[in-house]
Amino acid sequence: MRVEVVAAVLLLAAVTNAEDSLVDIVIREVKGCMDSEHLGSIGGLRSTNDPNSAEQKCFLGCMLKKFKALDAGGHYDAEGLKTTIQHCPRMKAHPDIQKAAMQVADECNGKVTGCDDYCSCAPLASKCLHEGMKNKAFQTIFIALDEALDKMES
């Protein structure tokens, strides 16, 4: 995976409209977070694989909140993320990845600490999720997000 955003933000189990594809919904969410966090482009974030500006960190936090990996206060939420993982259509199609993602969500529970809000917690959560999946020989748990970002760049 090219980015912690992709690796950490995964799946979007948000409410979907029958006429909208999951990828289109994720694109809409990405654009919404880009707007709310004043991020002009995700290109730099995807290429560096590390959020290094306040806007990039807050964008990542916004996306992690959308996926329920961070709660309303911006802190890591393993149960919220596991709910997203359980309901994501893309994850259901890949039970091996889904199982690993559930384990990684739990493993990161005590590791994302010492941060105060969604902007500061997002890079920690993203890194933990990314490394956890990599350690289980998977690149990402963010299947739908990766597809959406690829579509946005094409």
Side-chain angles (χ1 to χ4, degrees):
M1 290 294 31
R2 288 170 271 216
V3 151
E4 287 184 340
V5 170
V6 175
V9 176
L10 103 219
L11 337 116
L12 196 63
V15 177
T16 62
N17 295 325
E19 57 281 346
D20 290 342
S21 77
L22 182 62
V23 171
D24 290 335
I25 292 166
V26 174
I27 288 172
R28 199 167 44 239
E29 296 293 347
V30 167
K31 288 180 179 179
C33 284
M34 288 175 69
D35 288 345
S36 71
E37 305 307 329
H38 311 290
L39 184 65
S41 168
I42 57 170
L45 183 56
R46 288 192 86 186
S47 63
T48 65
N49 202 26
D50 186 27
N52 53 26
S53 71
E55 293 83 8
Q56 289 176 347
K57 290 174 184 175
C58 292
F59 165 78
L60 181 57
C62 178
M63 290 303 301
L64 286 172
K65 283 172 57 176
K66 299 282 183 187
F67 295 119
K68 301 187 182 353
L70 298 179
D71 63 20
H75 296 95
Y76 184 72
D77 183 359
E79 293 306 313
L81 179 56
K82 286 171 28 179
T83 298
T84 299
I85 293 166
Q86 289 172 334
H87 292 97
C88 176
R90 292 291 201 276
M91 294 298 281
K92 287 179 181 180
H94 301 278
D96 53 338
I97 298 174
Q98 186 179 39
K99 180 181 177 184
M102 296 290 280
Q103 292 170 345
V104 170
D106 280 334
E107 291 167 4
C108 289
N109 202 24
K111 296 179 182 177
V112 183
T113 60
C115 53
D116 297 324
D117 59 18
Y118 75 105
C119 297
S120 61
C121 292
L124 299 174
S126 175
K127 182 177 180 179
C128 185
L129 294 168
H130 176 70
E131 288 177 0
M133 290 304 286
K134 185 177 173 185
N135 290 340
K136 293 188 182 308
F138 293 104
Q139 289 185 324
T140 188
I141 55 177
F142 301 101
I143 298 167
L145 181 62
D146 195 35
E147 290 176 20
L149 295 175
D150 287 343
K151 185 175 179 181
M152 286 176 67
E153 289 181 343
S154 62

